[in-house]
Amino acid sequence: MRRAVLVGTGSSALVVALLALKPHQIPGPDTPAARSPVPSHTATGPSTGTSAGTGTYTGDPVDTRYGTVQVAVTVTDGRITAVKVIQAPDQNGRDQQISSQALPQLTQEAIKAQSAHIDTVSGASYTSQGYAQSLQSALDQAHV
């Protein structure tokens, strides 16, 4: 009987402790830490109302576990024609290696998909998420 009471009390305490933990969240483009302090787009042509314009739009910098990711997207007649990486994790050799392999793949995916809804590159999940979030903020500015 005594053993059952101890096991029950211990199990209850463990469940309460686990429920009290908060999940880890990566800052997204809507969090203050991920926002750029100044507006960051340069349109090279006229854009009317809700139609997609032509120009280059800089996405918000997104802080990830391994560093900041920021991209700029070039839009021509509402279509993504190029994505340029402005910032990427590069604190050490491993970060540089991952970025050099993942970023070209992400850029190809973005141009192919014509959106920020792209697959994550295996082994570069944080960089991939940051890339997609920064790209989405640039596309939001471009109204694409």
Side-chain angles (χ1 to χ4, degrees):
M1 180 70 176
R2 183 174 176 204
R3 177 184 259 170
V5 171
L6 289 174
V7 169
T9 304
S11 297
S12 297
L14 180 62
V15 169
V16 169
L18 289 174
L19 292 175
L21 293 175
K22 292 183 181 180
H24 174 73
Q25 294 181 353
I26 299 172
D30 294 335
T31 60
R35 288 195 184 138
S36 177
V38 293
S40 56
H41 92 287
T42 54
T44 57
S47 177
T48 59
T50 59
S51 66
T54 297
T56 299
Y57 301 86
T58 302
D60 293 333
V62 178
D63 293 326
T64 71
R65 180 176 180 177
Y66 297 103
T68 303
V69 180
Q70 184 178 25
V71 300
V73 64
T74 301
V75 177
T76 305
D77 296 326
R79 295 193 47 84
I80 298 171
T81 56
V83 180
K84 178 182 177 186
V85 177
I86 297 171
Q87 292 183 66
D90 63 356
Q91 295 296 316
N92 57 48
R94 182 73 177 137
D95 290 345
Q96 293 169 2
Q97 179 185 17
I98 290 171
S99 291
S100 70
Q101 291 175 355
L103 295 172
Q105 290 178 15
L106 293 167
T107 299
Q108 285 179 343
E109 285 256 344
I111 292 171
K112 182 179 174 185
Q114 289 295 304
S115 76
H117 300 288
I118 54 178
D119 289 333
T120 303
V121 174
S122 179
S125 56
Y126 290 102
T127 300
S128 298
Q129 291 170 355
Y131 184 100
Q133 289 174 358
S134 183
L135 178 60
Q136 185 61 57
S137 71
L139 293 175
D140 289 346
Q141 293 173 35
H143 302 290
V144 174

